Amino acid sequence: MDEFSHLLGQPRAAQTNKARYGVRRLAAILVVAIILVFAVVATVMFRPWALPARTALRRGDRHTESNVDRLVEDPTAKGEKVLVELFVMSRCPDAVKVEEVLSSVVKSVYSIMDVQLNFIASLNPNATFGADCKHGDAECRGNIDELCALRHRSDLPSFWRFLLCLNSHIEDIGSGDLSLKCASGAGLDTAAFLACSEQNEGRSLFKQSAENAQFARVSTSATVFINGKP
């Protein structure tokens, strides 16, 4: 069933207006994604001398003032990478579209690029996974699986293969069977991945990522920061 099939049976004017809104929304998402691609490529390929003197945040670090201070290092320090922070929701269609376009960048510049996932959710100690997700507990589960895949990846392309596999079945994100299948197909260490996703490590990563999103005051999926700037 395509994106506009739910419009059938509505008055023609309503169908036209909603269809136009859907097209405009999709176009806006694609424009943002394309701009992101060019921004990352330009930062990495054409202005390597202008990269800010900061290293990538370790996955799981909080965006606190003390952490930001720790990131400031000698400009001649080696091993600096472009930090791409994704503020997303695992079952958000807009996030899926942006991640798909960004995959073309990963293939070209992954060796000098780092990715941090920050999931938009409302912290709630009484919730099943420690937070309330817009698309339900299945999305919270999917968020944890993505964070664990990122933590235990062999390299960035392997994580992205996992991510695109999940995204191709967005309605099943949060399913343990799908996540395990994608982890195996992407070449991840499935034992480490499962241990993370099924135990406290995954929930701690999820809680930290939600705190990161709150600290950055980001509430829209998908939002992208490059080297700390939106």
Side-chain angles (χ1 to χ4, degrees), residues 202-221:
R203 297 192 183 198
S204 296
L205 290 173
F206 177 41
K207 180 175 181 290
Q208 190 66 72
S209 78
E211 290 177 349
N212 290 345
Q214 289 187 358
F215 184 86
R217 298 180 180 177
V218 175
S219 58
T220 300
S221 175

Side-chain angles (χ1 to χ4, degrees), residues 156-229:
L156 198 54
S158 66
F159 164 71
W160 224 264
R161 288 194 296 271
F162 171 85
L163 185 61
L164 293 181
C165 175
L166 282 191
N167 289 350
S168 66
H169 304 280
I170 186 172
E171 69 282 356
D172 294 325
I173 288 178
S175 161
D177 290 343
L178 174 63
S179 295
L180 182 58
K181 175 183 177 181
C182 290
S184 177
L188 300 182
D189 181 338
T190 53
F193 168 76
L194 285 175
C196 174
S197 64
E198 295 178 356
Q199 298 178 22
N200 288 335
E201 182 184 9
R203 297 192 183 198
S204 296
L205 290 173
F206 177 41
K207 180 175 181 290
Q208 190 66 72
S209 78
E211 290 177 349
N212 290 345
Q214 289 187 358
F215 184 86
R217 298 180 180 177
V218 175
S219 58
T220 300
S221 175
T223 296
V224 182
F225 285 8
I226 298 177
N227 281 336
K229 297 180 180 180

Side-chain angles (χ1 to χ4, degrees), residues 57-60 83-86 113-119 142-160 162-163 188 193 196 201 205 209:
L57 285 174
R58 296 196 305 270
R59 288 173 297 281
L83 175 62
V84 178
E85 296 176 80
L86 301 178
M113 171 184 175
D114 199 9
V115 170
Q116 180 168 311
L117 290 176
N118 300 313
F119 285 105
N143 294 349
I144 290 173
D145 289 345
E146 291 184 12
L147 287 164
C148 288
L150 184 62
R151 169 60 66 89
H152 295 285
R153 71 188 190 273
S154 56
D155 55 24
L156 198 54
S158 66
F159 164 71
W160 224 264
F162 171 85
L163 185 61
L188 300 182
F193 168 76
C196 174
E201 182 184 9
L205 290 173
S209 78

